[in-house]
Amino acid sequence: MTQALSGRPLRLQITPMQVPEAVAPAGLALDAIAPAMRELDLNLLLRPGEPTEMLVQLENTGSRLLQIGVQVEGSFPPSWCVIGMEGHDLAPHQRMDAVLRFQIPDDFFENQQALRPGDTLRLNYQGRLYVYSTEVETQRQEVETAVFNLNVRPSSLYLDFLPAIYREVDFVGRFLNIFEQTFEPTVETLNTLWAYLDPLLAPQAMLPFLSHWVAWEMDPRIGGDRQRHLIRYAMELYRWRGTRRGLRLFLHLYTDLPLDDELPEDRKHISIEELFGEGFTTGEVRIGREARLGGGRPFHFIVRLRCDADHQIDEPLVRSIIEQEKPAFCTYELYIEQRQAQRNSPIALSTA
């Protein structure tokens, strides 16, 4: 609603940017509303955490330059209101806009520790706008005033499901908000249930349940973020258990080293070399290919982890992972090669 007040030589017009659908009458309000303010019927709706504005349009109807000053007082905390102006000089027959920006705390309804027994929560506040104008030539001063109401209401979704005639009663909206505040958290939880079932997004308290759901044993030596990835890919790790692909995927999820699928085996960050020789055999075989003379170890493979010097890898944990993922009859060797970032050369080597 817009209110225009005429004065000489300043004309004042006020427009709230957000008005309530219903204003509680004096008999239903939690605090009294001044009669003069009810007559003016200038109301601004405030919702916790949502900024709203009141537009103040000023027009100089005289023939002299005016200096403008704006001040706001009221029964609300001063921190709720910020005044924005384009300037302070208003030329003759020119217009100027000022903005009253209101914002109340997000926890307005929750943070009410100051209420004493017997007190009620105040929802309606009164304010008064003062616009001071001074003629530069004559130093003549005038003051234009306007009163307004601030109606604090919680955000409501349930009112959208009611016919317009019920939304005209302020009590209905505040009464429905009791049920909305009770049931809406449950509705929001159901709407985002998929996130609770995703190990990468679920709360920390949900991880033991999700790991039990896929029969994955959580290892306290593995950090939280890596544990989430392991739970998410548990079914794929089961599917490829006992294979080179499954072991490489497990080591990738733990060490965060790249898989390097496009690189040859001897250049991968996680290299797994299979040495499945048959040992000493007789017949039509080629030495070094189908058979070996001495030192041959059938069903043997070598794991090499190549990482930078600052990349920390727990060798005992890596060995326990390999023991868990490899076939029982296989043997292996483990080499952890840590290279300097500048020279890209090995500085440490851990062998089996």
Side-chain angles (χ1 to χ4, degrees), residues 104-266:
I104 62 177
D106 297 348
D107 58 349
F108 174 82
F109 290 99
E110 292 79 10
N111 187 18
Q112 298 295 335
Q113 293 87 354
L115 290 179
R116 295 172 295 181
D119 289 348
T120 56
L121 178 62
R122 188 173 187 178
L123 299 180
N124 300 311
Y125 298 83
Q126 297 80 44
R128 182 179 292 272
L129 172 67
Y130 297 90
V131 180
Y132 301 93
S133 62
T134 303
E135 291 184 354
V136 176
E137 297 180 6
T138 64
Q139 295 300 310
R140 176 186 174 187
Q141 296 183 350
E142 291 189 4
V143 180
E144 293 286 350
T145 63
V147 292
F148 57 89
N149 298 328
L150 299 180
N151 305 120
V152 181
R153 299 293 184 267
S155 300
S156 179
L157 299 175
Y158 288 10
L159 279 176
D160 297 338
F161 299 98
L162 295 181
I165 189 174
Y166 293 102
R167 294 200 296 266
E168 295 176 359
V169 182
D170 180 74
F171 172 77
V172 173
R174 291 189 280 115
F175 179 73
L176 282 181
N177 198 261
I178 299 175
F179 300 96
E180 182 176 348
Q181 294 296 323
T182 303
F183 295 114
E184 199 59 27
T186 304
V187 174
E188 290 295 329
T189 301
L190 293 176
N191 290 338
T192 58
L193 184 60
W194 60 271
Y196 286 84
L197 303 181
D198 187 344
L200 299 183
L201 302 176
Q204 186 69 25
M206 284 287 294
L207 291 184
F209 168 76
L210 295 178
S211 65
H212 179 75
W213 200 1
V214 294
W216 182 264
E217 184 178 354
M218 297 181 64
D219 193 327
R221 295 175 296 177
I222 301 179
D225 292 340
R226 294 174 180 176
Q227 197 72 256
R228 291 174 180 270
H229 284 84
L230 290 171
I231 296 174
R232 185 175 190 181
Y233 291 97
M235 302 307 297
E236 187 170 355
L237 292 173
Y238 294 154
R239 186 179 299 113
W240 294 101
R241 173 164 288 180
T243 65
R244 177 163 56 180
R245 174 175 176 175
L247 177 58
R248 178 178 284 124
L249 177 60
F250 200 142
L251 294 176
H252 160 69
L253 294 175
Y254 163 63
T255 63
D256 203 26
L257 293 175
L259 291 174
D260 299 326
D261 293 330
E262 70 284 353
L263 296 179
E265 194 65 35
D266 59 348

Side-chain angles (χ1 to χ4, degrees), residues 285-317:
V285 296
R286 288 172 294 180
I287 300 300
R289 296 188 179 183
E290 290 87 358
R292 294 183 180 183
L293 293 177
R297 301 170 66 178
F299 308 111
H300 185 75
F301 63 94
I302 299 176
V303 178
R304 298 181 187 274
L305 302 181
R306 301 180 176 94
C307 59
D308 296 333
D310 57 349
H311 195 108
Q312 300 297 324
I313 295 180
D314 188 347
E315 181 182 348
L317 180 56

Side-chain angles (χ1 to χ4, degrees), residues 57-79:
Q57 296 176 309
L58 307 174
E59 182 180 0
N60 185 356
T61 59
S63 57
R64 295 184 177 91
L65 178 66
L66 297 179
Q67 287 187 337
I68 304 299
V70 178
Q71 181 181 354
V72 175
E73 296 180 355
S75 58
F76 51 87
S79 59

